[in-house]
Each structure stands twice: as structure tokens, then as C-alpha cells.
Amino acid sequence: MFRLLRPLAASVTYTRWLHLLIPGAGYSVWVFISPDSPWVPMLFAVPIGLLPGMRLAEGVQAQLLLSPEDRGRADPSISTASASTWVDRWRTVLWLEMRLLLAAPVWLATVWLPVTAVELSLAAFGRSPSSEWLVPGGEPHWWFGLFVPLPLLALLSVVVVSGRLITAGARWLLGPSQVQRLTALEERTEQLLERNRIARELHDSIGHALTVAVVQAGAARAAQDPAFTERALAAIEETGRDALDDLERVLRVLRESEAPAGQRPTLVEADRLLDSARGSGAKIDADMSGPLGQVPGAISREGYRILQESLTNVLRHSGSVPVRVRIAVTEGRLELEVTNPLGDAAAAPGGGSGLRGIRERAALLGGRATTGPCEGEWRVHAILPLDGLRIAP
């Protein structure tokens, strides 16, 4: 019983009713003015429905009144876009015809069923009704009062059933086309890729800063040297400021701010990373060759993050050890290599997402990256093409 009455408590039931009453009222006015040509509105709906903007207008109205749960969703069941193909235009025409055909009986039921209930009430008290098409006048017939709820129940049934029918029709005829569904899927994929990229950005930047801070703090406490402690605090401060800048940029992206997110660091700023690692105790032997400033922005930014994650792994798992860094731009590609001694602490350098992120960054740019033991050392070796072509494995 309660299940049957549940639709009557839902606000969408009455917004759907309103959606049908709007064209129903206009159609009734036309029939009153020109009763001999009730088919004219149906014919007039054809050229109107072929207008591209009509699909947008009907979609917005249908989504607002028929399916309000679609608002704000990435994949709504009712589209709110102009018609881009002739198939969409003819689907809009069919929608308008369906809406008119269903609106006319709903409008009549809305007007005459309450009138019938009033007529039954008047007959129950012996008053003469306005018409005797259903209820005779004259003597009171109290038992007519028992039938008063029936027209009202019939009206509520019409409202619920017609609302569900018009909503199903809207999802069928105003729903997204295959092209729109594919476009929405591509946009969703782009959003997921962007979120994954932001997660990697946070992991690399914040992870590097925390690693440097932990190593520097531990070294300063062990050294018990005021001069060394001062240098360690300065390194922690500088690394923390860089991490805060990266965090602010990522938060701007997440908030979808109109302000520019700022330029991410590139390999031109690699000295900043190397100095930070040296300040943490690592003995860096760096060799950079080639025109780093001419490397495309996307390649240079991802190369910076690969270098950052590689140095972070060294500091986290090996500590103050000799590290060789080689960055070369030659023959249309960027090569980046970071090696350090493979000690006991580095036997399992990171079971998290850092190394996987390095390989993913290289793969997304059409290159490749290898990480793992090599001739008694731990080696990160990445090759990124500068022209966007995939490098053969």
C-alpha cells in the first residue's frame, strides 16, 4: 500500500504533471479557437522541431521538470545540447508530437475529473449540478458521495502514469546520441587522467620534500654541529617552500580556479634538485649535455619529475651515497639516467607508486623507462622522444 502511495509524495511527480499541462493548455486554447482543425498544432511542430536550438530548449526543460536528478551529472539521461545531426532533429520532432499527444488527455483529465467530483458532491446534497451528462439533478442521492474520491484517484493515477511515460519518452528521444555519449566518455577519461597526473604530482613533489626534510633533520641531530644544523634547516626551508608552491598549484587545479596554475618546473631548473640532494648528504656527480632549454615543455616537465622521484628514492632508501646523474639531449631524444650503489637498504627501493609513476610518465610521452638493479647498482634509465614518436623497445 505504501509502495503505491510513494509516488504521490515525490515532488517530481508534480513537476512532470506541470510539464504536460504547459502544452496541454496551449493545445486546448487552439481547439477552442479553431475546433475544426485540431491537427494544426501537430503539423506546426514539425518545422519547429527541426530547428537545432529547439532540442536544447526542450532538453533543458525536460531535465529540469522530468528528471531533476540528472542535473550536474556527467552522463545525464536527457541531453541539454543543440541538435548536431538530422537524426537528432527528427528525434526532436517525434518528441514534440509525443508531448502534444500525451498532454491533451492529461489536460482534459485535469479539468474534468475534479469537475466530476464536484458534480457528485452536489448530487449527494440534492443540488442541481451544472450539467447532467453524468449526474442527474433533483432529489438528493446521498450514496453519490461515496463515489467522490474515485475521480480524484483516477486523476492521481493519470498524473503518475503519464509522468512516467513522458519521462521514458524524453530519455528515448532527447537522450544523448552516440556521438554525444562518445564525447562525454572521452571527457570523463580526460578527467580521470588529469586526476591521476595530479596524484603523481603530489606524490613526487611532496614526497621529495618530506624525504629531504627527514634526512636533513636526522643528519643534523646526529651531527650535533651548529653550523651543519643551520645548513640543514636552510635546506629544509627551501625544499618546503618549493613543495608549498607545487601544492598551491595543484590545489588551484582542483578548485578549477580561473587564475593560471603557474608553470611547472622543467629540467632547466634541475640544479635546484641536485643542490637539494647534495644538502641532504648525497654525493652528486652530475653530467648535463645538450640544449636543455630547447626541450619541449611537456617532455622537460616530466623529465624533471622523473629526476625528482629518482633522487627521492636514493635519499629514502640509500641515504648519503654517491649518485651519478646523466642528462643528455641528443638525436631527437632526451636521456636521463640516475645510478647509485645497490646496498642492503636499497635492495627493495620502494614498493609504492613512485617507480610505477616513472614508467607511466615515460610511456605517456611515447618513451620508455627501466628501473632496477644493473651491474651492482640501482639504475633508473628513461628515454623520451622529443618529436612525440614512440621509441621502439
Side-chain angles (χ1 to χ4, degrees):
M1 182 65 179
F2 292 104
R3 187 176 181 181
L4 295 175
L5 297 178
R6 189 178 302 166
L8 300 180
S11 59
V12 70
T13 299
Y14 304 99
T15 59
R16 291 171 179 175
W17 187 14
L18 175 63
H19 184 268
L20 285 168
L21 290 180
I22 295 173
Y27 187 74
S28 299
V29 171
W30 172 264
V31 172
F32 179 79
I33 296 175
S34 181
D36 296 332
S37 55
W39 47 268
V40 171
M42 306 291 295
L43 184 63
F44 193 58
V46 175
I48 293 180
L50 292 177
L51 297 174
M54 182 54 62
R55 186 173 184 82
L56 170 61
E58 289 294 319
V60 170
Q61 185 181 157
Q63 191 178 101
L64 180 65
L65 298 178
L66 300 181
S67 183
E69 68 274 7
D70 278 350
R71 284 179 290 176
R73 284 178 49 186
D75 54 342
S77 59
I78 299 177
S79 175
T80 55
S82 299
S84 57
T85 64
W86 280 101
V87 173
D88 288 341
R89 295 186 186 189
W90 283 110
R91 289 173 69 196
T92 307
V93 171
L94 290 177
W95 159 253
L96 292 177
E97 301 287 357
M98 175 186 177
R99 189 178 176 189
L100 285 174
L101 286 174
L102 196 56
V106 171
W107 172 262
L108 291 176
T110 301
V111 173
W112 289 110
L113 287 176
V115 170
T116 302
V118 173
E119 298 281 352
L120 289 170
S121 299
L122 293 175
F125 290 98
R127 298 182 182 179
S128 298
S130 58
S131 63
E132 296 186 3
W133 67 277
L134 177 64
V135 182
E139 296 296 327
H141 303 282
W142 63 267
W143 47 273
F144 275 118
L146 300 177
F147 297 99
V148 171
L150 294 182
L152 301 179
L153 291 176
L155 175 60
L156 293 176
S157 300
V158 168
V159 169
V160 173
V161 173
S162 61
R164 292 182 175 178
L165 286 176
I166 197 65
T167 303
R171 289 171 176 165
W172 175 43
L173 296 172
L174 295 180
S177 63
Q178 292 297 328
V179 175
Q180 291 172 331
R181 292 182 188 276
L182 181 59
T183 302
L185 181 60
E186 291 176 349
E187 292 177 354
R188 178 61 177 168
T189 302
E190 289 294 330
Q191 291 176 356
L192 292 176
L193 289 175
E194 179 65 14
R195 290 181 182 179
N196 193 30
R197 186 188 67 78
I198 290 174
R200 288 200 304 267
E201 290 286 319
L202 285 174
H203 174 274
D204 294 348
S205 178
I206 307 303
H208 174 78
L210 291 176
T211 299
V212 170
V214 170
V215 172
Q216 290 279 12
R221 184 178 61 179
Q224 295 183 353
D225 182 355
F228 183 86
T229 301
E230 185 177 354
R231 291 196 301 272
L233 290 176
I236 292 174
E237 181 182 8
E238 181 181 357
T239 305
R241 290 183 187 277
D242 293 339
L244 286 175
D245 291 340
D246 288 340
L247 181 60
E248 182 179 0
R249 176 187 55 76
V250 172
L251 291 178
R252 285 177 183 173
V253 173
L254 291 176
R255 294 174 185 141
E256 297 181 351
S257 173
E258 296 181 358
Q263 186 70 24
R264 288 191 290 156
T266 64
L267 282 175
V268 177
E269 306 170 64
D271 288 338
R272 187 178 70 178
L273 274 181
L274 300 177
D275 291 341
S276 176
R278 290 190 181 102
S280 298
K283 303 173 180 63
I284 305 295
D285 179 13
D287 179 16
M288 293 183 285
S289 61
L292 289 179
Q294 298 180 15
V295 176
I299 306 295
S300 188
R301 288 190 292 269
E302 296 305 316
Y304 181 94
R305 291 307 186 194
I306 291 174
L307 176 61
Q308 184 180 54
E309 177 60 26
S310 302
L311 294 176
T312 300
N313 279 336
V314 173
L315 295 173
R316 182 180 299 158
H317 301 287
S318 298
S320 301
V321 297
V323 182
R324 293 196 310 274
V325 176
R326 185 172 68 89
I327 304 174
V329 180
T330 178
E331 298 180 358
R333 63 184 186 180
L334 168 69
E335 285 196 52
L336 191 150
E337 185 180 62
V338 179
T339 58
N340 63 278
L342 185 62
D344 294 338
S353 60
L355 299 180
R356 184 176 67 250
I358 290 176
R359 293 189 290 267
E360 288 177 353
R361 288 179 185 276
L364 286 174
L365 294 172
R368 69 172 185 268
T370 56
T371 60
C374 179
E375 299 180 356
E377 295 182 317
W378 183 267
R379 178 172 177 259
V380 175
H381 185 217
I383 303 177
L384 307 177
L386 302 183
D387 56 2
L389 298 178
R390 182 169 293 278
I391 296 176

